[in-house]
Amino acid sequence: FCIEPKRSGTTVHTDPLGTAAWNAVTHGRKRWVVFEPNTPRRVAKAKDVIDKEREDDEPVMYFDFLLPRLKQKHPQLRSYEGIQGPGEVIFIPGNWWHGVVNLEDCVAVTQNYCGLDNFDEVWRRTRKEREKLAYRWLRNMRRFAPELHRRAIQPNMEAKFKMRHERGEGDETPTQSSS
């Protein structure tokens, strides 16, 4: 549950590990902006239109000042905007840039999502970026979701990827690899 005051929100970001997310509002209204995954980070985060001496990228500043300038500077930029009210749910696919500002005091429920549709990417990123979590997840998949366990092991074998618990002292970590 998120209990959020008016004018709060999130800066523009993508969700961790390639996960998707959903957000359901029970009270209040939120304003969203969403950009496609191929939008450059610098553009989505309005780095080329911000006056760093007088402005920041907090949600109110972003929506009131930066977003209009961003759209003016990049007229070809594809952005999707909307107002979410009570009883409405928004789904943000993995790797899509998004930001939100609360137009009123809000209560919402939100959760990141990994399912069959995005499992492969989430798994690849988790095993590389969060090694301890990946080990525990794989161990639990073996026990509770054998089909997913096989699906996780396959790309590991194809890439000759050694997880944390499989590496010896001389083995490189994934972040040390030159590939």
Side-chain angles (χ1 to χ4, degrees):
F1 273 95
C2 303
I3 300 172
E4 309 154 316
K6 179 179 180 178
R7 298 172 52 87
S8 66
T10 66
T11 58
V12 172
H13 66 282
T14 58
D15 285 331
L17 305 172
T19 57
W22 56 266
N23 182 291
V25 171
T26 62
H27 297 81
R29 293 181 314 126
K30 295 175 173 285
R31 180 178 172 196
W32 289 84
V33 65
V34 180
F35 301 102
E36 295 177 354
N38 61 354
T39 303
R41 175 186 179 89
R42 180 168 191 75
V43 173
K45 295 183 90 41
K47 297 294 185 187
D48 56 348
V49 297
I50 192 170
D51 178 349
K52 294 177 187 170
E53 293 184 20
R54 298 183 316 158
E55 299 173 321
D56 59 40
D57 66 349
E58 290 303 311
V60 170
M61 180 75 65
Y62 187 91
F63 279 91
D64 287 351
F65 299 102
L66 302 180
L67 185 57
R69 282 190 292 214
L70 185 65
K71 290 172 44 182
Q72 184 177 15
K73 182 170 182 170
H74 301 279
Q76 77 290 355
L77 180 64
R78 295 177 72 168
S79 64
Y80 307 90
E81 296 181 60
I83 307 293
Q84 179 187 20
E88 296 178 337
V89 177
I90 186 170
F91 176 78
I92 305 293
N95 300 312
W96 282 63
W97 294 98
H98 58 283
V100 65
V101 66
N102 294 303
L103 301 175
E104 303 169 356
D105 292 345
C106 283
V107 178
V109 181
T110 189
Q111 184 65 53
N112 285 74
Y113 171 83
C114 174
L116 296 176
D117 60 323
N118 63 350
F119 175 81
D120 297 326
E121 180 178 358
V122 173
W123 171 248
R124 279 191 298 274
R125 290 192 50 191
T126 302
R127 73 180 190 187
K128 182 178 178 186
E129 297 173 30
R130 306 263 179 94
E131 291 183 339
K132 193 181 280 188
L133 173 62
Y135 169 72
R136 291 179 178 150
W137 191 16
L138 187 64
R139 183 183 63 197
N140 285 322
M141 279 190 273
R142 183 181 311 119
R143 185 171 174 198
F144 300 109
E147 287 296 318
L148 280 181
H149 181 265
R150 284 189 285 282
R151 191 166 162 183
I153 292 295
Q154 187 63 35
N156 287 7
M157 292 186 320
E158 289 170 3
K160 297 182 177 149
F161 182 91
K162 288 186 178 181
M163 293 191 56
R164 179 178 182 220
H165 66 284
E166 298 170 323
R167 287 185 227 128
E169 278 190 43
D171 289 334
E172 292 181 334
T173 62
T175 54
Q176 292 173 328
S177 172
S178 60
S179 59

